[in-house]
Amino acid sequence: MRPERFDRLLGPLALGPVELRNRIVSTSHQTNLVSAHAPTDDFVAYHEARARGGAGLIVLEATAVHESGLLHAHTLAGYRDEIVDGYRRIAERVQRHGSRLFVQLFHGGREQIASPPRPPPVAPSAIPSQRFKTEPRALRAEEIDELLAGYARAAGLAAKGGLDGVEISAAHNYLIAQFFTPALNARDDRWQAGPAFLLAVVDAVREAAPAIALGVRLSADSVAAQAVAHELAGRVDYLSLALGESSTYRGSTGIVPPPPTPENAIADLTESFRVGPPIVATSRIVDPVEAERLLAEGRADAVGMTRALIADPELPAKVAAGRAAEILRCTGCNACIAHYHAGTPIGCSANPRTGRERSLPRPGGRVVPARLLVVIGAGPAGLAAAAEACGSQHNVVVLERAPAIGGQLALAGAAPMHEETARTQLANARRLVAEAEIRLGVDADPEAVAGLEPDAVVVATGAIPYCPPLPLDGQVLSAWDVLAGARVEGTGAVVADWGGDPSGLAAADVLAARGLRVTVALAAVAAGESIHQYTRNLYLERLYRAGVRIEHHLELAEATAGRAVFRNLFAPDLQIELAADALVLALGRVPVDVLAPALRARGLTVEEAGDCRSPRSLEEATLEGTLAARRLLDA
């Protein structure tokens, strides 16, 4: 039963000396809106947008307590005096909207993301990290004392900067978790595996900043964290629970789990942490109705809806106003965390304004006079352009040759790994373009478009699969054909995958689910080379569990009925034949880019957006569609 009210979600909650106005939390997450280890104006604007939108608590991103804990160039330095002025600027802009403001105090230990030259990583013990390929030195006793002093100093500076609280990161197998995780701590001194270092940090922070709230973040799926949680009863004002651990490929996926990881993935893991302090639970909590249910069931006392707030910073205000149906929903695409790993400012495929709060204002109200925008193509770029124009109450006509909207999203929706993202992105788009006139099954030619007498045109005609000029006989399909439902004759298929977009892995997933024997021949160094690592990790898990055979470093040479020939990517004189009842091509895409020049030749004002400019990702499509409409309508 779906509740009609959100009494718990919108109700207050005390975290020690701090009272939250509601229980919706923007938990600590990296934005890369940081320069010289200090917050930028864009950083301030980003968090103010979430405060203005009604978040009860904002926890600033992982902030280093010591120079050895700087993950990379975009990490806040919480141990430097100058951070106080940065905190004051953020606090003034966030707290005036009624949100409380904390910061997460952090040290990565052996885990480092920075590019060379990197500082020497340190850890409880000299145990290399699988994921980041770091080889740490074991901390000396005096260095541990220095780190404790760093936590205390960082907490004191946070209090001096006007923050309402601090949260100690003891999750994800970063430094503190490395101390209490037996497999990562081989010490034989007072800091051997157990809660000693965690408790020393808690005591140091409490003594340095006694008047503000204090929390600890733990990984709820960590047995070691469960073992130390009871030690925190009576010492902290709340526990923040997340998932995942940073040091392994598969474990890291849990930190920001993409679909098809189910929503509310944290829900069944909180009970072991009911040791007294309130619980803030996060990990794929994106639906206010589900958030209310989790609170009602006692699974948590507050909910981290971080990705939901990245997509729509006004989510709390919309819930409070009875406008939950208007929320721009998080699609789970993980563009946000992909930006962090790439070292670029945070972005969002659902909301192109995320990270651009200062440079890309929201559409205004009614525009007089309204203009007519014709959009050609109802894929992500075209729908984004139409949504932007509708948001300013212009007139919009969308021409789409297919019988339904969606473009490549409609294909992606056939793959289990992308079904939720496609479904949610299209649901968002349908609501945002509800006032547009959408004409389906229409082949837009220059004469027909000109006949509509548009003020401006956005061409978003997308792309088609690339087919190489090779001798290819027998049953040959594209990955798009498979996703569109094409049947494969025979019992086995070989997917020739270039390692770029996810269509090859998606086709292999779908074919394996149909019961076929599937081999993926990769013309790349690694599977999913261009796919974000968390999605790639889940793909590999799915394919291995489905019995899909993966052959590495193979480039397609030719195919005849029943067999495909591949060259070794690095030693082309080496060849291999693979039995193939069907050959499925996933070798990239090429743009459909012929219409815009013809329209310009007729004197029309035209912008292009999305894959017709060059095939890329969902994020570029939505951003370019938005910007194209903005430029045309503001001209």
Side-chain angles (χ1 to χ4, degrees), residues 371-376 385 445-446 449-450 454-461 592-609 612-613 624-625 627-633 635:
R371 306 179 73 193
L372 172 61
L373 179 70
V374 171
V375 178
I376 302 172
D445 61 71
V449 174
D455 292 294
V457 180
V458 172
V459 174
T461 45
V592 178
D593 60 349
V594 297
L595 185 58
L599 293 174
R600 291 190 182 101
R602 287 180 170 265
L604 296 175
T605 301
V606 178
E607 287 271 359
E608 297 168 85
C612 67
R613 300 181 68 209
E624 290 180 2
L627 293 176
R630 186 81 275 131
R631 285 192 296 267
L632 289 170
L633 298 173

Side-chain angles (χ1 to χ4, degrees), residues 21 73 82 86 108 156 218 243 261 270 279 287 301 308 328 356 362 393 404 431 458 497 514 551-552 602:
R21 60 178 168 179
E82 51 265 36
L218 296 168
L243 297 174
T261 304
T270 61
I279 289 175
D287 182 354
D301 302 291
L328 190 66
R356 300 180 178 87
R362 291 174 295 177
Q393 299 185 27
R431 181 176 60 78
V458 172
D497 183 5
R514 294 180 190 170
E551 294 282 351
H552 295 274
R602 287 180 170 265

Side-chain angles (χ1 to χ4, degrees), residues 124-215:
S125 300
I127 300 174
S129 169
Q130 177 198 85
R131 179 174 170 226
F132 291 119
K133 304 298 186 262
T134 52
E135 300 155 295
R137 173 177 56 77
L139 284 158
R140 301 177 181 115
E142 64 273 17
E143 292 174 317
I144 295 176
D145 291 339
E146 186 179 336
L147 290 178
L148 289 173
Y151 278 100
R153 175 172 173 74
L157 294 176
K160 187 176 180 180
L163 272 57
D164 299 300
V166 296
E167 177 178 291
I168 298 167
S169 172
H172 310 314
N173 269 349
Y174 292 122
L175 179 69
I176 295 178
Q178 290 163 25
F179 270 96
F180 64 64
T181 301
L184 301 178
N185 185 341
R187 302 182 73 92
D188 58 4
D189 59 7
R190 62 177 292 216
W191 304 115
Q192 63 186 323
F197 184 71
L198 169 61
L199 298 183
V201 170
V202 168
D203 290 345
V205 168
R206 181 68 87 184
E207 182 178 354
I212 65 176
L214 171 59

Side-chain angles (χ1 to χ4, degrees), residues 16-339:
V18 172
E19 182 169 287
L20 310 184
R21 60 178 168 179
N22 62 48
R23 301 178 184 222
I24 301 172
V25 182
S26 175
T27 61
S28 173
H29 60 285
Q30 307 308 103
T31 64
N32 284 341
L33 301 172
V34 171
S35 178
H37 304 298
T40 63
D41 290 342
D42 286 330
F43 184 99
V44 176
Y46 172 85
H47 287 294
E48 184 180 15
R50 275 109 199 120
R52 186 188 303 114
L57 171 62
I58 293 173
V59 184
L60 299 180
E61 59 197 62
T63 298
V65 300
H66 187 271
E67 63 181 352
S68 63
L70 292 170
L71 274 176
H72 54 62
H74 301 295
T75 304
L76 290 174
Y79 55 90
R80 294 182 178 174
D81 287 335
E82 51 265 36
I83 197 66
V84 172
D85 288 338
Y87 284 153
R88 286 174 177 160
R89 282 200 304 133
I90 303 163
E92 190 275 328
R93 296 276 291 274
V94 165
Q95 292 164 343
R96 69 185 181 186
H97 296 290
S99 294
R100 295 294 196 165
L101 184 64
F102 294 5
V103 66
Q104 185 182 91
L105 303 183
F106 172 88
H107 194 296
R110 68 177 189 167
E111 309 303 339
Q112 287 185 349
I113 300 176
S115 300
R118 298 189 292 190
V122 292
S125 300
I127 300 174
S129 169
Q130 177 198 85
R131 179 174 170 226
F132 291 119
K133 304 298 186 262
T134 52
E135 300 155 295
R137 173 177 56 77
L139 284 158
R140 301 177 181 115
E142 64 273 17
E143 292 174 317
I144 295 176
D145 291 339
E146 186 179 336
L147 290 178
L148 289 173
Y151 278 100
R153 175 172 173 74
L157 294 176
K160 187 176 180 180
L163 272 57
D164 299 300
V166 296
E167 177 178 291
I168 298 167
S169 172
H172 310 314
N173 269 349
Y174 292 122
L175 179 69
I176 295 178
Q178 290 163 25
F179 270 96
F180 64 64
T181 301
L184 301 178
N185 185 341
R187 302 182 73 92
D188 58 4
D189 59 7
R190 62 177 292 216
W191 304 115
Q192 63 186 323
F197 184 71
L198 169 61
L199 298 183
V201 170
V202 168
D203 290 345
V205 168
R206 181 68 87 184
E207 182 178 354
I212 65 176
L214 171 59
V216 171
R217 169 168 273 201
L218 296 168
S219 291
D221 50 354
S222 165
V223 174
Q226 294 172 19
V228 302
H230 68 280
E231 300 280 356
L232 297 171
R235 293 176 180 261
V236 300
D237 299 314
Y238 73 96
L239 296 178
S240 173
L241 300 182
L243 297 174
E245 59 99 3
S246 182
S247 62
T248 66
Y249 295 116
R250 185 60 185 86
S252 67
T253 302
I255 298 176
V256 188
T261 304
E263 291 185 13
N264 316 313
I266 190 79
D268 293 334
L269 297 170
T270 61
E271 185 61 32
S272 297
F273 296 87
R274 278 292 182 196
V275 296
I279 289 175
V280 178
T282 190
S283 286
R284 293 226 69 220
I285 303 175
V286 296
D287 182 354
V289 173
E290 284 297 302
E292 176 75 12
R293 181 181 64 81
L294 294 177
L295 296 174
E297 293 176 353
R299 308 294 183 102
D301 302 291
V303 286
M305 302 190 71
T306 308
R307 277 185 282 179
L309 292 166
I310 290 172
D312 192 343
E314 297 180 0
L315 179 150
K318 289 176 179 177
V319 171
R323 297 163 45 218
E326 298 178 21
I327 292 170
L328 190 66
R329 301 282 175 149
C330 169
T331 69
C333 72
N334 270 12
C336 47
I337 189 68
H339 277 269

